[in-house]
């Protein structure tokens, strides 16, 4: 009985569990950990074998590249062949934090990580548990959001447990994530910087640091698919999502009545105080920061309650809400 008992499943982040997590990662295993945005599913980014485990556990298509998490700017530079001034400026301001930069990759980054692309996506997370894990393991960690492919990203350890619990080695519990939506992804590998995925850091904030940026058209736009993982439908719960406008009170009532008559169990997510009767209704904050923090948890909750229809109140058309409008649009596109 002298052998130390191996931790498995969901554990509180602590010195001991972090050490165990680092050992698992160095052995090629999979560890879910909190970041400030959403929980990530980590593996040794230098090991193609370990990274293959991520794709298998998530059911993620091999054409969708992963973000590599590193401790600091110095560690990021070791994985790329060029580091433009824009990267320095953005990293100095936003790292550690919810910013991912795409840059030309070094050959040491396995092709599996980048889905065969010549570029790699890099991020320095600010969550203390993520930082401690990167320090303890001493390797870069490839880590997508810790959910089954196409599902809603996890913002608690329990969300990870529910979708991936039996498929991975360890889940480090660090509480609810703060930002609540995934990092902004910005491509700095071309002539003009391009936002591939919006996030809590706005385009205006980026432009104030590095000047004009373009925005990717996405998979449904006329531009070629630039970020292979930006599938139209993404971040979606099991339930069907429908957007509604708060002025459409009558339509909502009709919609709910119809749903009930078909035996569907409806849920609703609102922010303005819209009056939605006869549905499991979750009221979120009326500001984008507060809304982002709990929107995924709300979707998980309604899924868990067995709602098969979720009416989501449309968001304001202003720039502060654009990343959230993007996420809801992806969740509602069938
Ligand atoms: O906040 C986040 O970014 C979270 C936490 C865990 O860090 N991670 C996350 O990873 O959202 P994931 O795999 O769910 O999304 C990564 C996105 C995908 O849209 C992918 O296509 C894009 O980043 N991406 C990764 N590498 C890329 C590359 N070389 N070029 C273009 N896009 C890339
Ligand atoms: Mg994801």
């Amino acid at each position: 009985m002298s052998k130390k008992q191996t931790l498995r499943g969901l554990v509180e982040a602590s010195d001991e569990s972090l050490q165990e997590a680092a050992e698992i990662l160095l052995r090629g295993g999979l560890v879910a950990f909190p970041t400030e945005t959403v929980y990530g599913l980590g593996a040794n980014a230098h090991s193609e074998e370990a990274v293959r485990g991520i794709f298998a556990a998530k059911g993620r298509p091999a054409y969708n590249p992963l973000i590599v998490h590193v401790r600091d700017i110095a560690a990021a530079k070791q994985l790329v062949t060029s580091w433009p001034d824009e990267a320095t400026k953005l990293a100095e301001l936003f790292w550690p934090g919810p910013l991912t930069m795409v840059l030309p990759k070094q050959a040491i980054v396995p092709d599996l990580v980048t889905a065969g692309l010549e570029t790699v996506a890099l991020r320095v997370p600010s969550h203390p548990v993520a930082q401690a894990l990167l320090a303890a393991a001493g390797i870069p960690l490839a880590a997508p959001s810790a959910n089954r492919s196409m599902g809603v990203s996890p913002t608690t350890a329990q969300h990870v447990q529910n979708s991936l619990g039996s498929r991975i080695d360890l889940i480090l519990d660090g509480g609810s994530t703060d930002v609540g939506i995934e990092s902004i992804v910005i491509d700095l590998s071309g002539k003009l910087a391009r936002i591939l995925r919006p996030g809590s850091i706005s385009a205006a904030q980026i432009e104030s640091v590095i000047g004009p940026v373009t925005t990717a058209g996405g998979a449904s736009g006329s531009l070629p698919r630039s970020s292979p993982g930006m599938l139209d439908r993404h971040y979606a719960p099991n339930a069907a999502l429908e957007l509604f406008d708060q002025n459409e009170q009558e339509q909502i009532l009709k919609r709910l009545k119809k749903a009930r008559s078909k035996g569907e169990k409806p849920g609703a997510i609102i922010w303005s105080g819209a009056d939605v009767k006869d549905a499991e209704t979750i009221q979120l904050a009326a500001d984008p920061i507060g809304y982002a923090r709990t929107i995924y948890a709300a979707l998980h909750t309604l899924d868990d309650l067995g709602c098969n229809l979720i009416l989501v109140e449309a968001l304001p058309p202003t720039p502060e809400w654009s990343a959230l409008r993007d996420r809801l649009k992806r969740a509602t596109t069938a």
Side-chain angles (χ1 to χ4, degrees):
M1 292 308 277
S2 64
K3 194 175 170 291
K4 186 177 78 172
Q5 208 198 323
T6 314
L7 293 172
R8 279 197 73 86
L10 194 163
V11 297
E12 196 80 26
S14 66
D15 288 349
E16 193 209 354
S17 61
L18 276 160
Q19 199 46 50
E20 175 89 22
E23 283 164 25
I24 290 171
L25 290 166
L26 288 166
R27 286 200 301 267
L30 302 179
V31 175
F33 61 96
T35 80
E36 68 280 19
T37 57
V38 300
Y39 274 70
L41 177 61
N44 180 356
H46 286 314
S47 162
E48 186 158 321
E49 199 52 43
V51 170
R52 192 165 291 128
I54 292 179
F55 284 92
K58 282 184 59 96
R60 182 174 176 113
Y63 58 75
N64 192 356
L66 307 177
I67 295 173
V68 177
H69 296 65
V70 290
R71 285 178 77 174
D72 51 27
I73 294 178
K77 285 182 175 173
Q78 285 174 19
L79 301 178
V80 301
T81 55
S82 80
W83 184 264
D85 286 347
E86 286 86 350
T88 300
K89 289 181 187 157
L90 290 173
E92 280 177 355
L93 199 61
F94 296 117
W95 277 1
L99 166 79
T100 296
M101 296 193 284
V102 172
L103 290 159
K105 82 174 187 79
Q106 288 270 7
I108 46 162
V109 180
D111 288 336
L112 191 63
V113 171
T114 65
L117 296 175
E118 292 304 311
T119 53
V120 61
L122 296 169
R123 177 161 115 74
V124 176
S126 67
H127 195 291
V129 173
Q131 292 250 335
L133 185 61
L134 286 164
I139 46 172
L141 297 177
S145 52
N147 51 277
R148 291 279 290 166
S149 184
M150 313 293 274
V152 177
S153 288
T155 57
T156 68
Q158 191 59 50
H159 295 156
V160 181
Q161 172 79 12
N162 294 347
S163 74
L164 294 176
S166 60
R167 298 167 169 265
I168 64 181
D169 297 301
L170 195 68
I171 303 167
L172 289 175
D173 189 348
S176 292
T177 61
D178 185 44
V179 176
I181 58 169
E182 305 82 355
S183 61
I184 183 173
V185 179
I186 176 156
D187 183 357
L188 296 179
S189 68
K191 272 217 163 70
L192 198 58
R194 260 191 332 158
I195 294 175
L196 303 179
R197 178 176 73 185
S200 57
I201 297 170
S202 69
Q205 280 175 288
I206 298 287
E207 290 192 322
S208 72
V209 183
I210 61 168
V213 299
T214 60
T215 304
S220 60
S222 51
L223 291 171
R225 179 176 286 187
S226 51
S227 200
M230 298 305 278
L231 305 170
D232 269 355
R233 184 176 160 85
H234 206 172
Y235 315 111
N238 297 318
L241 239 73
E242 287 178 23
L243 289 180
F244 73 90
D245 201 276
Q246 52 167 306
N247 313 319
E248 302 168 336
Q249 204 67 43
E250 224 153 87
Q251 285 96 310
I252 301 165
L253 291 179
K254 269 200 202 134
R255 185 70 192 87
L256 287 172
K257 213 169 172 185
K258 187 171 148 213
R260 291 255 179 231
S261 73
K262 286 199 294 183
E264 292 175 351
K265 181 171 180 185
I269 296 176
I270 60 175
W271 59 271
S272 73
D275 191 15
V276 183
K277 290 195 184 66
D278 226 11
E280 294 285 351
T281 303
I282 297 179
Q283 164 90 49
L284 299 184
D287 69 279
I289 293 171
Y291 189 100
R293 192 170 287 142
T294 48
I295 177 62
Y296 288 163
L299 292 172
H300 283 292
T301 299
L302 293 175
D303 254 355
D304 293 347
L305 285 172
C307 293
N308 37 16
L309 168 71
I310 303 178
L311 299 177
V312 183
E313 183 180 359
L315 300 173
T318 51
E320 313 87 82
W321 291 90
S322 67
L324 285 161
R325 286 197 308 274
D326 165 84
R327 299 306 191 277
L328 290 186
K329 187 165 151 242
R330 286 173 199 285
T332 48
T333 311

